[in-house]
Amino acid sequence: MTETQEDPQRLRRSVAASAMGNATEWFDYGVYAATATYLTAAFFPGELGTLGTMLGFAISFVLRPLGGMVWGPLGDRLGRKRVLATTILLMAAATGLIGLLPTHGQIGVFAPVLLILMRVVQGFSTGGEYGGAATYLAETAGDRRRGFLGSFLEFGTLGGFVGGSAVVLLLQLMLGSAAMYDWGWRIPFLLAVPLGLIGLYLRSRLDESPVFEEVARNPHPPTGLRELVRHYRRELLTLGGLVIALNVVNYTLLTYQPTYLQKSLGMAESTTTAMMLIGQVVMMLVLPFFGALSDRVGRRPMWLVSLVGLAVFALPMYWLMGQGPVWAVIGFIVLGLLYVPQLSTISATFPAVFPTHVRYAGFALAYNVSTAAFGGTAPLVNEAVIEASGWSLFPAVYMIGASLIGLVAWTFLRETAGTSLRGTEVPDVLHTPVDAAARVPSR
């Protein structure tokens, strides 16, 4: 297979459009996490209110596999560009509408029903968003810099989280607690609309992925879910296992953490938001470094270090967080840095698991099924166990279990650093030209 060449102008547009869409998606999740206490008061008043809010978060993930089943095959047939333009529009619209919803005090039980409906729309559109953005960027980037360039997609992820948290923190400081509970929580959700329109503009200017165009012009094996499940079970299971580890850590550490620190450790709202901001900014700064490192040493070593590190340090770092705000920042940063080797290499590792003609569908299906089952439910599971048992260290144990599952899946992961993504064969360093293979250790 020939090496994927880089077109600098196309590459800049691809990175910007992919990262912006991802930032819009995760701006919503960051805002939802940072405003969880306000959403509880507005939509789920009562003793089990926090569980209702976490259920509202988790429910969006139920539709992600369905979204992946719809958007993924469409992306493999019609192209990556068309699907990505549609998903970002749906995401931004649903997020913006949350900021306009009436509260429980105004329309009763219909308020949480409407909130959950908006989360369902977000989940369905997100089912095609992330897999498509990562696939498009991986196919556009050159083979030798796929890790470095792909890390900017995750830069957009954390940028969305940081942007959402920063907006909420600024509003907390400007408006005060009473106004935030009353109406201030709506503002961050409304800001998703202009973000989505910017992302839509950027994506409308994209060219189609050259790797997809090459396969589309030539005869290739059938695409679709049936062929995917029949011929690529190993790849689906490998990716699914890695996603369990990735997203239990992601949604525990980046989404549930504000609620955990406020309820379990008694930290103030603004202190929690500021702590999350510091940790996420540190993670953003090192993302490109780890992405570039994966181009030199390979994806498998990066994932191994991360999975083992999280399994070893999750429990002591969560204990450390309970010793005070400063220690909470340190513990969060340590776990965040251990997580970054996974986060920075997602868009270089996961699309390369599948060949081009089923890449979008394979990524979307495996990623979203695992995320729905284990990622989006992580805040709900953590909150339910802590409320039932009072055991504040449970999130660490949950991370350890997920990391061990990830280690099992890692043993089946092929090394693909420096490997071309062109053609209809499963990418593998063993099929890479000699000059590229020599730079990357094999299994």
Side-chain angles (χ1 to χ4, degrees), residues 76-98:
D76 284 328
R77 291 195 196 99
L78 304 178
R80 307 356 182 167
K81 175 184 173 179
R82 294 182 188 179
V83 173
L84 289 173
T86 305
T87 55
I88 194 172
L89 193 60
L90 285 173
M91 285 190 309
T95 303
L97 285 172
I98 290 178

mmCIF file of all heavy atoms in Angstrom, residues 76-98:
data_model
loop_
_atom_site.group_PDB
_atom_site.id
_atom_site.type_symbol
_atom_site.label_atom_id
_atom_site.label_comp_id
_atom_site.label_asym_id
_atom_site.label_seq_id
_atom_site.Cartn_x
_atom_site.Cartn_y
_atom_site.Cartn_z
ATOM 1 N N ASP A 76 -19.578 5.452 5.031
ATOM 2 C CA ASP A 76 -18.786 4.572 4.165
ATOM 3 C C ASP A 76 -19.338 4.530 2.739
ATOM 4 O O ASP A 76 -18.605 4.192 1.806
ATOM 5 C CB ASP A 76 -18.757 3.147 4.748
ATOM 6 C CG ASP A 76 -17.818 3.031 5.934
ATOM 7 O OD1 ASP A 76 -16.803 3.752 5.952
ATOM 8 O OD2 ASP A 76 -18.094 2.228 6.849
ATOM 9 N N ARG A 77 -20.614 4.882 2.573
ATOM 10 C CA ARG A 77 -21.200 4.873 1.231
ATOM 11 C C ARG A 77 -21.170 6.253 0.575
ATOM 12 O O ARG A 77 -20.786 6.399 -0.580
ATOM 13 C CB ARG A 77 -22.661 4.395 1.300
ATOM 14 C CG ARG A 77 -22.842 2.934 1.648
ATOM 15 C CD ARG A 77 -24.262 2.470 1.341
ATOM 16 N NE ARG A 77 -24.552 1.202 1.997
ATOM 17 C CZ ARG A 77 -25.228 1.090 3.131
ATOM 18 N NH1 ARG A 77 -25.682 2.170 3.732
ATOM 19 N NH2 ARG A 77 -25.453 -0.085 3.667
ATOM 20 N N LEU A 78 -21.605 7.267 1.311
ATOM 21 C CA LEU A 78 -21.775 8.608 0.745
ATOM 22 C C LEU A 78 -20.554 9.494 0.936
ATOM 23 O O LEU A 78 -20.432 10.517 0.252
ATOM 24 C CB LEU A 78 -22.996 9.296 1.379
ATOM 25 C CG LEU A 78 -24.324 8.547 1.279
ATOM 26 C CD1 LEU A 78 -25.422 9.329 1.984
ATOM 27 C CD2 LEU A 78 -24.688 8.291 -0.183
ATOM 28 N N GLY A 79 -19.690 9.134 1.879
ATOM 29 C CA GLY A 79 -18.526 9.968 2.151
ATOM 30 C C GLY A 79 -18.557 10.533 3.555
ATOM 31 O O GLY A 79 -19.618 10.652 4.179
ATOM 32 N N ARG A 80 -17.366 10.896 4.055
ATOM 33 C CA ARG A 80 -17.264 11.390 5.429
ATOM 34 C C ARG A 80 -17.840 12.801 5.560
ATOM 35 O O ARG A 80 -18.478 13.140 6.547
ATOM 36 C CB ARG A 80 -15.811 11.429 5.868
ATOM 37 C CG ARG A 80 -14.904 10.225 5.768
ATOM 38 C CD ARG A 80 -15.383 8.932 5.332
ATOM 39 N NE ARG A 80 -14.330 7.904 5.349
ATOM 40 C CZ ARG A 80 -14.592 6.623 5.227
ATOM 41 N NH1 ARG A 80 -15.827 6.210 5.060
ATOM 42 N NH2 ARG A 80 -13.607 5.748 5.254
ATOM 43 N N LYS A 81 -17.606 13.650 4.557
ATOM 44 C CA LYS A 81 -17.925 15.076 4.638
ATOM 45 C C LYS A 81 -19.412 15.330 4.868
ATOM 46 O O LYS A 81 -19.794 16.140 5.721
ATOM 47 C CB LYS A 81 -17.444 15.767 3.368
ATOM 48 C CG LYS A 81 -17.818 17.230 3.286
ATOM 49 C CD LYS A 81 -17.387 17.839 1.959
ATOM 50 C CE LYS A 81 -17.911 19.258 1.799
ATOM 51 N NZ LYS A 81 -17.480 19.866 0.529
ATOM 52 N N ARG A 82 -20.283 14.685 4.099
ATOM 53 C CA ARG A 82 -21.720 14.944 4.203
ATOM 54 C C ARG A 82 -22.259 14.610 5.588
ATOM 55 O O ARG A 82 -23.060 15.354 6.160
ATOM 56 C CB ARG A 82 -22.470 14.118 3.157
ATOM 57 C CG ARG A 82 -22.180 14.495 1.717
ATOM 58 C CD ARG A 82 -23.020 13.649 0.788
ATOM 59 N NE ARG A 82 -22.652 13.849 -0.608
ATOM 60 C CZ ARG A 82 -23.229 13.210 -1.626
ATOM 61 N NH1 ARG A 82 -24.183 12.324 -1.381
ATOM 62 N NH2 ARG A 82 -22.841 13.443 -2.868
ATOM 63 N N VAL A 83 -21.831 13.458 6.107
ATOM 64 C CA VAL A 83 -22.327 13.034 7.418
ATOM 65 C C VAL A 83 -21.849 13.981 8.507
ATOM 66 O O VAL A 83 -22.611 14.354 9.408
ATOM 67 C CB VAL A 83 -21.885 11.586 7.708
ATOM 68 C CG1 VAL A 83 -22.239 11.193 9.139
ATOM 69 C CG2 VAL A 83 -22.542 10.633 6.726
ATOM 70 N N LEU A 84 -20.598 14.403 8.448
ATOM 71 C CA LEU A 84 -20.047 15.293 9.472
ATOM 72 C C LEU A 84 -20.755 16.640 9.491
ATOM 73 O O LEU A 84 -20.930 17.241 10.566
ATOM 74 C CB LEU A 84 -18.549 15.478 9.247
ATOM 75 C CG LEU A 84 -17.680 14.265 9.563
ATOM 76 C CD1 LEU A 84 -16.240 14.518 9.146
ATOM 77 C CD2 LEU A 84 -17.749 13.922 11.042
ATOM 78 N N ALA A 85 -21.161 17.152 8.343
ATOM 79 C CA ALA A 85 -21.894 18.413 8.307
ATOM 80 C C ALA A 85 -23.265 18.275 8.967
ATOM 81 O O ALA A 85 -23.734 19.194 9.656
ATOM 82 C CB ALA A 85 -22.056 18.886 6.859
ATOM 83 N N THR A 86 -23.897 17.128 8.793
ATOM 84 C CA THR A 86 -25.219 16.903 9.380
ATOM 85 C C THR A 86 -25.152 16.723 10.884
ATOM 86 O O THR A 86 -25.965 17.292 11.634
ATOM 87 C CB THR A 86 -25.872 15.662 8.738
ATOM 88 O OG1 THR A 86 -25.911 15.821 7.324
ATOM 89 C CG2 THR A 86 -27.286 15.464 9.258
ATOM 90 N N THR A 87 -24.189 15.929 11.356
ATOM 91 C CA THR A 87 -24.134 15.633 12.793
ATOM 92 C C THR A 87 -23.834 16.873 13.631
ATOM 93 O O THR A 87 -24.409 17.058 14.705
ATOM 94 C CB THR A 87 -23.090 14.549 13.088
ATOM 95 O OG1 THR A 87 -21.813 14.943 12.568
ATOM 96 C CG2 THR A 87 -23.502 13.217 12.467
ATOM 97 N N ILE A 88 -22.962 17.747 13.159
ATOM 98 C CA ILE A 88 -22.636 18.928 13.963
ATOM 99 C C ILE A 88 -23.830 19.872 14.060
ATOM 100 O O ILE A 88 -24.055 20.523 15.087
ATOM 101 C CB ILE A 88 -21.394 19.660 13.413
ATOM 102 C CG1 ILE A 88 -20.884 20.668 14.445
ATOM 103 C CG2 ILE A 88 -21.689 20.358 12.090
ATOM 104 C CD1 ILE A 88 -19.570 21.308 14.079
ATOM 105 N N LEU A 89 -24.645 19.936 13.007
ATOM 106 C CA LEU A 89 -25.830 20.776 13.029
ATOM 107 C C LEU A 89 -26.847 20.259 14.044
ATOM 108 O O LEU A 89 -27.415 21.032 14.824
ATOM 109 C CB LEU A 89 -26.453 20.820 11.630
ATOM 110 C CG LEU A 89 -27.521 21.868 11.371
ATOM 111 C CD1 LEU A 89 -26.971 23.270 11.585
ATOM 112 C CD2 LEU A 89 -28.075 21.713 9.965
ATOM 113 N N LEU A 90 -27.060 18.948 14.061
ATOM 114 C CA LEU A 90 -27.988 18.355 15.020
ATOM 115 C C LEU A 90 -27.512 18.541 16.456
ATOM 116 O O LEU A 90 -28.308 18.855 17.358
ATOM 117 C CB LEU A 90 -28.164 16.866 14.724
ATOM 118 C CG LEU A 90 -29.029 16.497 13.523
ATOM 119 C CD1 LEU A 90 -28.964 14.997 13.274
ATOM 120 C CD2 LEU A 90 -30.461 16.940 13.752
ATOM 121 N N MET A 91 -26.221 18.344 16.702
ATOM 122 C CA MET A 91 -25.672 18.492 18.051
ATOM 123 C C MET A 91 -25.864 19.902 18.582
ATOM 124 O O MET A 91 -26.309 20.115 19.707
ATOM 125 C CB MET A 91 -24.184 18.143 18.070
ATOM 126 C CG MET A 91 -23.884 16.676 17.981
ATOM 127 S SD MET A 91 -22.144 16.337 18.310
ATOM 128 C CE MET A 91 -21.351 17.491 17.213
ATOM 129 N N ALA A 92 -25.507 20.896 17.776
ATOM 130 C CA ALA A 92 -25.595 22.279 18.216
ATOM 131 C C ALA A 92 -27.044 22.687 18.481
ATOM 132 O O ALA A 92 -27.329 23.394 19.452
ATOM 133 C CB ALA A 92 -24.967 23.199 17.175
ATOM 134 N N ALA A 93 -27.968 22.243 17.626
ATOM 135 C CA ALA A 93 -29.373 22.593 17.800
ATOM 136 C C ALA A 93 -29.939 22.012 19.090
ATOM 137 O O ALA A 93 -30.624 22.709 19.860
ATOM 138 C CB ALA A 93 -30.183 22.108 16.598
ATOM 139 N N ALA A 94 -29.644 20.728 19.356
ATOM 140 C CA ALA A 94 -30.166 20.087 20.568
ATOM 141 C C ALA A 94 -29.596 20.726 21.831
ATOM 142 O O ALA A 94 -30.317 20.944 22.814
ATOM 143 C CB ALA A 94 -29.852 18.593 20.539
ATOM 144 N N THR A 95 -28.302 21.041 21.811
ATOM 145 C CA THR A 95 -27.683 21.675 22.977
ATOM 146 C C THR A 95 -28.278 23.053 23.227
ATOM 147 O O THR A 95 -28.592 23.418 24.369
ATOM 148 C CB THR A 95 -26.161 21.796 22.776
ATOM 149 O OG1 THR A 95 -25.620 20.510 22.533
ATOM 150 C CG2 THR A 95 -25.499 22.389 24.011
ATOM 151 N N GLY A 96 -28.433 23.845 22.160
ATOM 152 C CA GLY A 96 -29.003 25.172 22.314
ATOM 153 C C GLY A 96 -30.417 25.139 22.859
ATOM 154 O O GLY A 96 -30.802 25.980 23.683
ATOM 155 N N LEU A 97 -31.212 24.157 22.439
ATOM 156 C CA LEU A 97 -32.594 24.063 22.899
ATOM 157 C C LEU A 97 -32.686 23.758 24.386
ATOM 158 O O LEU A 97 -33.674 24.143 25.040
ATOM 159 C CB LEU A 97 -33.341 22.997 22.085
ATOM 160 C CG LEU A 97 -33.724 23.414 20.658
ATOM 161 C CD1 LEU A 97 -34.283 22.227 19.895
ATOM 162 C CD2 LEU A 97 -34.735 24.554 20.694
ATOM 163 N N ILE A 98 -31.689 23.064 24.948
ATOM 164 C CA ILE A 98 -31.704 22.815 26.400
ATOM 165 C C ILE A 98 -31.743 24.140 27.153
ATOM 166 O O ILE A 98 -32.413 24.267 28.184
ATOM 167 C CB ILE A 98 -30.476 21.980 26.813
ATOM 168 C CG1 ILE A 98 -30.610 20.549 26.285
ATOM 169 C CG2 ILE A 98 -30.310 21.963 28.345
ATOM 170 C CD1 ILE A 98 -29.431 19.661 26.608
#
